[in-house]
Amino acid sequence: MNYRLIIKDRATQDLRLLANYILVNGNSDVAVKFLNAAEMTFVQLQKTPGMGKVTQLVVSSLGKIRQWRIKDFQDYLIFYRIEDTTVEILRVFHGARDIADVLSELDEEL
């Protein structure tokens, strides 16, 4: 089955902030690799959306929220949902953040 991929504005903002942080604290090559890895992981989720695990950290009116790590950047998590034939990327952030706190805002943001 072909799934349509939607990357929510908040997830795009997350990616920009994370890449900027990596750029400032690392180097431009790593920041570019991060963005490319995120894009490749999004495509992977589009092809096989069920591979991520359902997070139990939040109960959302959005339904089941899944998570998956960015390839080669294992500390960075993608949170997404599957609805019919659509994969929606909701948020992307570092796993050291208070995940439950960030995800509790999902219903308000979307």
Side-chain angles (χ1 to χ4, degrees), residues 26-94:
N27 64 49
S28 60
D29 290 339
V30 175
V32 169
K33 286 179 184 176
F34 170 76
L35 290 173
N36 288 335
E39 185 176 334
M40 288 184 343
T41 306
F42 293 164
V43 170
Q44 184 182 22
L45 288 171
Q46 181 182 12
K47 291 178 181 175
T48 316
M51 68 184 185
K53 72 175 185 174
V54 175
T55 182
Q56 302 297 323
L57 297 173
V58 65
V59 175
S60 172
S61 63
L62 298 172
K64 291 180 182 175
I65 305 297
R66 294 178 169 272
Q67 71 182 54
W68 191 252
R69 297 184 184 282
I70 294 179
K71 183 178 177 5
D72 299 327
F73 290 85
Q74 298 300 304
D75 292 335
Y76 295 88
L77 303 172
I78 299 169
F79 289 87
Y80 68 100
R81 72 179 179 150
I82 306 165
E83 188 171 348
D84 299 322
T85 60
T86 302
V87 174
E88 280 187 313
I89 307 296
L90 304 172
R91 296 293 307 265
V92 180
F93 52 87
H94 194 280

Side-chain angles (χ1 to χ4, degrees), residues 7 9-10 12 14 16 18 21 34 37 40 42 50 59 61 80 84 94 104 110:
I7 302 170
D9 289 341
R10 187 62 179 115
T12 301
D14 291 340
R16 288 182 183 151
L18 292 167
Y21 179 84
F34 170 76
M40 288 184 343
F42 293 164
V59 175
S61 63
Y80 68 100
D84 299 322
H94 194 280
S104 68
L110 301 173

